[in-house]
Amino acid sequence: MVEPKKGVIRIMERAGIPYGRNEPNGVTLHDLRRTLGSWQARTGASLAIIGKSLNHKSQQATAIYARLDLDPVRQSVNTATAAMLQAGGLKSSAEVVQLPKQGKA
C-alpha cells in the first residue's frame, strides 16, 4: 500500500468520523499517527520503539513525544530525593502516595 488515504477515508466514513482539517471535528491520517505516538509515550514505550513504529528517519522527529509523559521522570526524582534524605538521616522512610492528576497550570 503506497497511499492509504482513500482506505482511511472509507473506514472513517463508516465509523462516522469526519476526515480532513476543513471538516468540523475532522481528523487526518497524520492526526492518527500523532495519537499513536502520544499513547505509546504515555504508556512507557521508548523513543526508539516510537520512532520505529512511526517510521521516523531521525531521533529529532521522535523527540517531541519525550515531553508527553513526565510522570516517570517526576516519580524517579521523588524516589531518589527521598532515598538521599533517608540516607543522610534527615528523613525516615515513608510510603509514597500517588496523587490524582490535576488540570494543566
Side-chain angles (χ1 to χ4, degrees):
M1 182 185 290
V2 175
E3 176 55 66
K5 185 175 179 180
K6 288 181 183 179
V8 169
I9 291 171
R10 246 190 341 267
I11 291 168
M12 292 179 70
E13 282 176 353
R14 289 180 189 164
I17 301 169
Y19 184 87
R21 297 215 188 282
N22 297 328
E23 297 293 322
N25 298 315
V27 296
T28 66
L29 187 54
H30 193 249
D31 294 330
L32 298 175
R33 282 176 50 89
R34 284 194 317 260
T35 299
L36 173 63
S38 297
W39 275 99
Q40 285 179 292
R42 186 72 178 106
T43 56
S46 70
L47 290 181
I49 296 295
I50 295 169
K52 188 79 166 172
S53 65
L54 297 177
N55 200 28
H56 285 164
K57 303 296 183 220
S58 72
Q59 291 179 345
Q60 292 153 325
T62 310
I64 189 74
Y65 297 101
R67 67 177 172 80
L68 294 177
D69 190 16
L70 296 178
D71 287 344
V73 174
R74 186 176 296 113
Q75 183 177 4
S76 175
V77 168
N78 289 342
T79 301
T81 303
M84 288 187 291
L85 291 171
Q86 183 181 359
L90 300 173
K91 182 178 180 184
S92 59
S93 64
E95 181 181 339
V96 177
V97 177
Q98 186 73 28
L99 297 176
K101 292 186 177 186
Q102 296 182 0
K104 293 182 180 179

